[in-house]
Amino acid sequence: MPQPDDVEIRGTLTRNRPLDSLTWLRVGGPAEWLFQPADREDLCDFLAALDADVPVFPMGVGSNLIVRDGGIRGVVIRLGRGFNQISCDDGIVTAGAAALDAHVARKAAEAGLDLTFLRTIPGAVGGAVRMNAGCYGAYVADHLIEAEAVTREGNLVRLTPEMLEFEYRSTQLPSGWVIVSARFRAAPDDPDALAVRMTEQVARRDATQPTKDRSAGSTFRNPAGFSSTGKADDSQDLKAWKVIDDAGMRGAWLGGAQMSEKHSNFLLNAENATAADLEGLGEKVRKKVYQNSGIELEWEIMRVGEPAPE
């Protein structure tokens, strides 16, 4: 069966590509193969021809990801310029999966459409859809009309919100499927008012989060009750940072990794941490929180790949 280098492509295929430079935390070993397709047809053809036993991992801009020190086996797929178009028409915003969330929010605002909740979410549209990203009480699930994805077999399919089965910070997207675009419904509003709102959101984020440090956003999901669309149930609302603080883990260290002093639900690569340092500190926090409160924190950061060889 065809291996990655047996498949004819128009994009770029690189063997043993280090991934540390492609993640916000700047850690991780190499991808056995990194494929950057030229466009969706190139992606479809590649996956259709690839041996079905070769694992495939779609990777966005690495904003919410720890790649373990031993790297990732199989093919990592990273979308680029062929997948970053944004258009606004009649209350609908269409964006390629590689379009940055912040850029989509700004483009929509310029067109008088309100997707301002995306402005302070790190990452790109593909990851936002896959993880039902949200901020300030709004979630992707509230706005998504449909997404397009390429299956592991290389077929282009349309996905409705019902098919994605949105939950808090998650969907039921099958393994190996690659989201390539999404369409959002957005309410009309004054462009100047939307610009002011986004400026205020950025200022609020910078005042409360360690945006100048090397992090991957929120480390753990809030341990609260949430509806299937990702809306918080205020009667059960708890914050991950609060239970971390209560367990005495604000500012905790392991190797070169630290839980932020500014916001204790942010895991930092503070001093040349390894992926093992970061994941190990996260697990230490989870253990301390459970011992202190009986609450079992769930990772929001995705951890993938193999540990470093002994």
Side-chain angles (χ1 to χ4, degrees):
M1 294 293 290
Q3 294 301 300
D5 53 348
D6 296 325
V7 179
E8 185 175 341
I9 60 170
R10 289 179 288 109
T12 303
L13 182 68
T14 308
R15 186 161 195 168
N16 293 323
R17 170 62 159 87
L19 295 175
D20 53 351
S21 64
L22 300 182
T23 70
W24 284 27
L25 282 166
R26 294 295 188 264
V27 297
E32 186 176 3
W33 297 95
L34 177 69
F35 178 47
Q36 298 165 280
D39 48 40
R40 64 179 61 189
E41 291 76 21
D42 194 29
L43 176 59
C44 289
D45 292 346
F46 176 81
L47 289 176
L50 186 65
D51 186 336
D53 291 331
V54 176
V56 168
F57 175 70
M59 176 179 172
V61 295
S63 61
N64 196 35
L65 184 69
I66 292 175
V67 176
R68 297 186 176 108
D69 299 305
I72 300 178
R73 294 180 183 175
V75 178
V76 172
I77 294 177
R78 193 167 194 262
L79 306 183
R81 291 184 178 179
F83 299 85
N84 65 358
Q85 299 87 355
I86 303 169
S87 64
C88 304
D89 183 46
D90 196 24
I92 305 297
V93 179
T94 303
L100 296 178
D101 298 329
H103 196 192
V104 174
R106 288 193 296 263
K107 284 286 188 180
E110 290 170 4
L113 297 173
D114 185 3
L115 289 179
T116 53
F117 81 99
L118 288 173
R119 176 62 183 86
T120 57
I121 296 176
V125 163
V129 172
R130 185 186 183 281
M131 296 301 294
N132 189 19
C135 196
Y136 302 117
Y139 293 80
V140 165
D142 300 320
H143 295 273
L144 186 78
I145 299 170
E146 67 176 13
E148 288 186 311
V150 177
T151 70
R152 177 60 184 83
E153 295 74 30
N155 300 312
L156 184 66
V157 296
R158 295 182 184 274
L159 300 171
T160 64
E162 293 73 23
M163 295 165 69
L164 285 165
E165 297 182 49
F166 283 114
E167 296 179 0
Y168 175 58
R169 295 289 191 264
S170 68
T171 58
Q172 297 302 313
L173 187 73
S175 176
W177 287 30
V178 185
I179 293 173
V180 293
S181 69
R183 297 175 66 227
F184 302 97
R185 182 178 294 105
D189 206 336
D190 176 64
D192 291 336
L194 295 173
V196 169
R197 187 182 308 164
M198 290 189 294
T199 299
E200 291 173 347
Q201 289 173 348
V202 171
R204 192 183 322 164
R205 178 199 62 185
D206 291 347
T208 58
Q209 298 177 8
T211 54
K212 298 188 184 303
D213 295 319
R214 191 167 289 171
S215 81
S218 296
T219 305
F220 301 107
R221 300 176 182 179
N222 287 326
F226 286 83
S227 72
S228 61
T229 61
K231 289 292 191 182
D233 177 355
D234 292 335
S235 66
Q236 305 180 54
D237 196 20
L238 291 172
K239 298 299 184 184
W241 69 264
K242 180 64 167 61
V243 297
I244 293 170
D245 279 3
D246 291 346
M249 296 303 288
R250 180 181 288 264
W253 286 81
L254 180 66
Q258 183 190 23
M259 300 309 295
S260 171
E261 291 276 8
K262 189 171 187 178
H263 191 310
S264 56
N265 194 29
F266 279 67
L267 180 60
L268 308 180
N269 182 351
E271 293 185 0
N272 298 315
T274 63
D277 291 340
L278 293 159
E279 189 170 11
L281 179 55
E283 288 299 319
K284 185 177 179 180
V285 169
R286 293 181 72 239
K287 181 178 179 180
K288 290 286 189 180
V289 167
Y290 185 75
Q291 290 172 342
N292 183 66
S293 64
I295 293 171
E296 190 166 355
L297 288 176
E298 296 182 23
W299 283 90
E300 185 166 326
I301 294 175
M302 183 180 293
R303 293 103 56 232
V304 297
E306 308 281 335
E310 293 292 334

